[in-house]
Amino acid sequence: MSSLNAKNKDAFHELASEKSGSKGPKARLRNCARPMAPGTAVGGCAFDGAKVALQPITDVAHLIHAPLACEGNSWDNRGAASSGPTLWRTSFTTDLTEIDIVMGHSERKLFKAIREIKDGYAPAAIFVYSTCVTAMIGDDIDVVCKRATDEFALPVVPVNAPGFVGSKNLGNKLAGEALLKHVIGTVEPDEPGLCDINILGEFNLSGEFWQVKPLLDKLGVRVRACIPGDARYLQVASAHRSRAAMTVCSTAFVALARKMQERWDIPFFEGSFYGISGTSEALRRIADLLVKKGADPSLLHRTEILVAEEEEKVWKRLEAYRPRLEGKRVLLNTGGVKSWSVVHALMEIGMEIVGTSVKKSTLEDRERVKQTLKEENLVFESMSPRELFSLLLERKADIMLSGGRTQYIALKAKLPWLDINQERHHAYAGYEGMVQLARQIDLAIHNPMWPQVREPAPWEQALVV
Amino acid sequence: MPQSAEKALDHAPLFCEPEYRQMLAEKKLNFECPHPDQVVSDQREFTKSWKYREKNLARQALVVNPAKACQPLGAVFAAAGFERTMSFVHGSQGCVAYYRSHLSRHFKEPSSVVSSSMTEDAAVFGGLKNMVDGLANTYKLYNPKMIAVSTTCMAEVIGDDLHGFIENAKSEGSVPRDFDVPFAHTPAFVGSHVDGYDSMVKGVLENFWKGTARTEATATINIIPGFDGFCVGNNRELKRLLDLMQVNYMFIQDASDQFDTPSDGNFRMYDGGTSINDVKAALNAEWTLSLQYYNTRKTLDYCRDVGQAATSFHYPLGVEATDELLMVISEISGREIPEAIRLERGRLIDAMADSQAWLYGKKYAIYGDPDFVYAMARFIMETGGEPTHCLATNGTSAWEDEMKELLASSPFGKNAQVWPGKDLWALRSLLFTEPVDLLIGNSYGKYLERDTGTPLVRLMFPIFDRHHHHRFPLMGYQGGLRLLTAILDKIFDNLDRETMHAGVTDYSYDLTR
């Protein structure tokens, strides 16, 4: 376990040695690595984080080495979209039983399972995830994966992020470590180009990234790897030849970006594809980094033209929604990059933010929230369902934007709700996404059902009068 | 770009637009090293063959697409059926997030569960401190009447002793000494959610019954429903029937209100459930009936140990099984089955007779929890259908024997096959090699529906991709009617789809059926 410990520290090294921000390195580390309080329910574990961060690599078989629990309760529950393979959505697990554990059969079972996947599915690679039980009984998945890699001539990648080592956030980072150690840089691309980029921490939920990619295509910028959203193993393996990178969900992959910069000299920035100015800013910075790395300077000019065209179009399209949404009050209960990027996007269409949560957000994310909102008391940490319920009522929210687990809290408060987390069914990224977001908020707020939900039953009304 | 403010396309149609199609096709060429279409389609055909089926069924180390969940999930569901009870799972955080999502996605309700947030330190030094702090926090933050503790694999592997830990936590003042903290050891590497349910219900009963002697037996029947994704509709329907019969009964573990709270501006962290006083009083009941055998084996043994008479059913569905349930209740309560229920039975039989021609000889594949598969196979045979494949990932050899006995009891079960321990990927091969007309199972069956073209009737747990099914009963004669309608709808919808091509197949596109 000591080596795992060292690796965890390393994963957080990023946060501890950061240059900006008002707090010291220790505080920064505490902030992200802090254990969760017993007796509460906050969120996933490191295993969950690692799986979430890697599973959208679509032509890979993701094998969960565990008793049934970790996979049986959770398989196929993310809304990332694939433009081809469906293998990533198939659930593979070793389903360890008591006999396997007591008799020490688990490593052999894992090796056999890898063979069964290879024979039955011929995947581009197999990712093997350790979990609480297999880590505690001391299974050495690194060795098993190494042997399998050699024997089957197939990349078999160990992902060491058992649940108990920490938070979901840590799991994201450990997933990045696994990619760095075993995947990225193992394949040389045929024709590296001067305008190749990586997008890190973009999950392509409901196909969101596909709304952004045509913009990059127009600029002649090639996405060598979008990790993990709709990625192929080959893309990830050759990502080290890109010229620049953007991290979308920094919480997940900023450490990966930093290390790729150190190792292969790939400059990166943290950005977002939510909101109009967010998207424009991201395009500009991509162009800027590429030009600095040797791309044709005309890219900058072409980007400005594209941004101007697209912005003009999208503002025009949004005009229809503005009068219906201006001044409406939104409470956001989400995490990471969305804490500020969605806030910014909503303010662009004239909505009022009455609160945003910063759970799982990095300190940079938190800083950005503060800069955007300019008011401290609108920012809250993760809270219990009851507190959230009260906050919605106190601040007279018109709508809550959050993930599935808290949606029913808004509904019980008789408030409209819109999913902006992994189960959402609409794509909100890019200029296109902004129109869709406005439309969905409009539909949610103005549904004729709400008055009925809110008014008491007619006989109760009569009593009141 | 095809978007406009007047007509903002949803992502589903949006990505069908030609620009996007082309973009995605290019990706395949550039980054997938794609095989030629012919190779892909040959391979696809191969996976439909008997040869592949043999390889697939021979799999030993690998489970692909399981149809079971783990013990603590069952325990969490069980705890939700008691008054103001907070589930406390002793283990790391992630598991609990999964249980909450799982239950929330199925019931469309919030689900409150807390974790002792064990981390690496706990793995090395044991989770006692987490238990002490965790119980204290839960008690303070969520104001429960009872905290039901279950375990995850992690706590089980390091061997944490719940009884001792809870006693220690009480000594340290985490919760008052007399506060109820029932517990159950629920390792996920043993059994499945149905076993976890069993352990937790037994844990709750033991907590209140241990050391208490039965006074005189009262003429009350305890009813334990078992892990049931349709508990909202089922429990209410059963209560209605029992009220009609004027029976004295007590539901032990009733999550129907907890997972169906009204929208009236209040947030209920807890709602409904069996009250603590009722659980205490239930010790004196004459009988305990369980509606699901595999969910309550240990619990029923315990009930017998304390001196109660006990028996169990296999998730009673359809005519015969409902008859059996009501007659047992009538016999042990001495209450007659009233006219109103007799009429309901007649209506279900009438409906089955009306539709018999459409159901006779239809072949089915059924998968899910052991009791449900048993019940469904029985109902299918009542309608003249053949339960061709009966599969339970958490089925045991004892279940297999019971199934075979059931299937042997009817000519319609003659060709049926029972598949204990197999997963949904095995079922895929079964459906290709020995096709059926209908598939019955949970939402995960939609991939089998797509791959094999077998229409799916969604029943049981979890149902993530359809709304409100669980609010309607499956049990009782009314439930039978709903079950019958669901199957018929699927048959007719499918028939319409197949026959709707004008001038080609519409010779069977009939208005009256």
Side-chain angles (χ1 to χ4, degrees), chain A residues 55 66 86 141 152 179 183 250 325 330 351 422:
Chain A
Q55 205 180 16
T86 53
I141 67 165
F152 304 137
L179 292 183
V183 185
S250 298
L325 297 180
V330 193
M351 300 191 73
Q422 73 271 10

Side-chain angles (χ1 to χ4, degrees), chain A residues 75 90-95 116-117 121, chain B residues 52 56 59 61-67 393 422-427:
Chain A
W75 63 280
T90 307
S91 157
F92 297 105
T93 173
T94 47
D95 188 13
E116 285 177 347
I117 294 179
Y121 301 86
Chain B
Y52 181 78
N56 190 2
R59 251 187 303 121
L62 179 67
V63 168
V64 185
N65 297 352
T393 308
K422 293 294 176 196
D423 51 39
L424 298 184
W425 192 258
L427 185 56

